[in-house]
């Protein structure tokens, strides 16, 4: 039975799309790595919990075949914000995420510069008694 499970996971990996715009965060790449790790001995791998293995496979197969997308169709191809699927892909691309992180770091440095003045600097002086 390990042979069948291994081959089913391999087929799923072949079908699962890769998103090259999400380097290091792509679900397809992650899935391939997990399958390689779980089936280190290929077809000869002994599965400790075959039932759980089958459940994981069935769940991933349902996601890959868009079962839930078809079961629960969307009225619009946008999110509640009005962002389309393609715009969302562009925003979540690794390059865009890096730019946003750099912008956050720049804003954080600016805020820290404003609020971390030396003691007594920028504070109103206390009136002497």
């Amino acid at each position: 039975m390990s042979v069948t499970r291994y081959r089913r996971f391999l087929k799923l990996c072949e079908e699962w799309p890769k998103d090259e715009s999400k380097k290091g965060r792509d679900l397809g790449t992650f899935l391939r790595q997990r399958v390689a790790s779980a089936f280190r001995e290929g077809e000869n791998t002994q599965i400790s919990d075959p039932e759980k293995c089958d459940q994981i496979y069935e769940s991933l197969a349902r996601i890959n075949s868009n079962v839930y997308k078809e079961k629960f169709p969307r009225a619009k191809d946008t999110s509640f914000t009005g962002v389309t699927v393609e715009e969302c892909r562009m925003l979540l691309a690794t390059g865009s995420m890096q730019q946003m992180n750099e912008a956050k770091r720049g804003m954080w440095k600016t805020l820290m510069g404003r609020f971390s003045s030396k003691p007594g600097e920028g504070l109103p002086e206390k009136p002497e008694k």
Side-chain angles (χ1 to χ4, degrees):
M1 280 302 240
S2 291
V3 172
T4 304
R5 285 185 180 91
Y6 177 65
R7 288 182 182 165
R8 288 189 332 169
F9 272 99
L10 284 183
K11 185 173 181 343
L12 181 65
C13 286
E14 288 174 12
E15 294 173 1
W16 200 284
K18 282 186 187 179
D19 189 345
E20 297 298 329
S21 70
K22 294 181 182 174
K23 297 275 186 210
R25 300 177 301 115
D26 176 53
L27 185 56
T29 301
F30 176 77
L31 175 64
R32 286 163 180 78
Q33 291 168 348
R34 289 296 304 253
V35 168
S37 174
F39 290 94
R40 287 192 180 133
E41 297 175 27
E43 295 178 348
N44 298 324
T45 302
Q46 296 298 314
I47 306 297
S48 62
D49 189 348
E51 190 173 306
K52 184 174 181 175
C53 181
D54 292 343
Q55 287 174 345
I56 291 170
Y57 172 80
E58 293 300 327
S59 295
L60 291 169
R62 283 191 300 270
I63 293 169
N64 189 46
S65 62
N66 288 320
V67 167
Y68 301 107
K69 182 179 179 184
E70 292 169 15
K71 188 174 181 178
F72 305 104
R74 297 176 64 130
K76 296 180 181 179
D77 286 335
T78 61
S79 68
F80 73 96
T81 62
V83 176
T84 65
V85 172
E86 194 52 41
E87 290 169 331
C88 191
R89 277 196 185 110
M90 287 179 10
L91 287 170
L92 293 175
T94 299
S96 297
M97 297 294 285
Q98 287 173 341
Q99 288 175 352
M100 285 189 277
N101 285 337
E102 288 170 12
K104 281 184 203 174
R105 273 189 242 124
M107 185 187 307
W108 180 251
K109 285 181 182 177
T110 301
L111 288 171
M112 289 304 293
R114 287 184 185 166
F115 295 109
S116 65
S117 57
K118 294 179 183 170
E121 214 175 85
L123 299 174
E125 291 184 27
K126 292 182 183 178
E128 291 185 27
K129 293 185 181 178

